[in-house]
Amino acid sequence: MEVITILSQSSATELHEIIALQCSKVLAAPGSQKNVGYSLYMFLGELWLWVFIQAGLLFVDECNGPDPEDDLQDGEDYLDAGQHVFDSAPTITSAVMADDVFRMTFSSGASLMTLHEVSNGTKFFVTT
């Protein structure tokens, strides 16, 4: 298996490193509003990425996966942001951060858009 190092902190970028990788999970640490999470965790092939927007910058880093001890309060669960979209792990066809929006598109035609930072997290939408 090829080793990929992914670390990004930018206001405008394209993440070429994740193009053509299969995305089988997108989980979010829940915020107080619908479709708001503190951060997203994406499982790409055999790689977990931690993704969030803060101060207008996209942060992407490899991680060991979601960390319930750090992310969740008692009784909370991660939000499954891809549950209605990812029936069979689609591949990523584009991943671009521009104008305070991180947009990913998938071979299934679905797109995950992580929008601007809000007071208590990163607002995201999954559309088909």
Side-chain angles (χ1 to χ4, degrees):
M1 182 177 117
E2 180 182 346
V3 176
I4 303 172
T5 300
I6 299 174
L7 173 64
S8 183
Q9 177 180 332
S10 183
S11 61
T13 190
E14 183 171 356
L15 295 176
H16 299 283
E17 303 92 337
I18 67 173
I19 305 298
L21 295 180
Q22 288 187 313
C23 182
S24 57
K25 271 281 190 211
V26 179
L27 301 177
S32 60
Q33 303 168 13
K34 185 177 181 176
N35 292 333
V36 173
Y38 295 113
S39 56
L40 296 176
Y41 294 94
M42 300 170 36
F43 192 62
L44 308 176
E46 298 179 22
L47 173 74
W48 277 103
L49 290 183
W50 180 38
V51 180
F52 62 97
I53 296 175
Q54 186 174 20
L57 298 177
L58 172 70
F59 291 84
V60 179
D61 198 2
E62 293 178 36
C63 67
N64 292 325
D67 186 351
E69 285 186 23
D70 283 345
D71 296 334
L72 304 177
Q73 302 293 321
D74 287 339
E76 283 186 329
D77 249 337
Y78 287 99
L79 305 172
D80 188 347
Q83 70 180 345
H84 301 296
V85 178
F86 302 140
D87 291 334
S88 61
T91 58
I92 297 171
T93 55
S94 72
V96 178
M97 174 68 176
D99 300 322
D100 296 333
V101 177
F102 178 54
R103 181 175 288 115
M104 292 176 41
T105 57
F106 300 90
S107 59
S108 64
S111 65
L112 169 69
M113 294 186 295
T114 302
L115 301 178
H116 59 86
E117 175 186 15
V118 291
S119 62
N120 55 346
T122 300
K123 191 164 188 172
F124 61 90
F125 292 96
V126 177
T127 59
T128 56

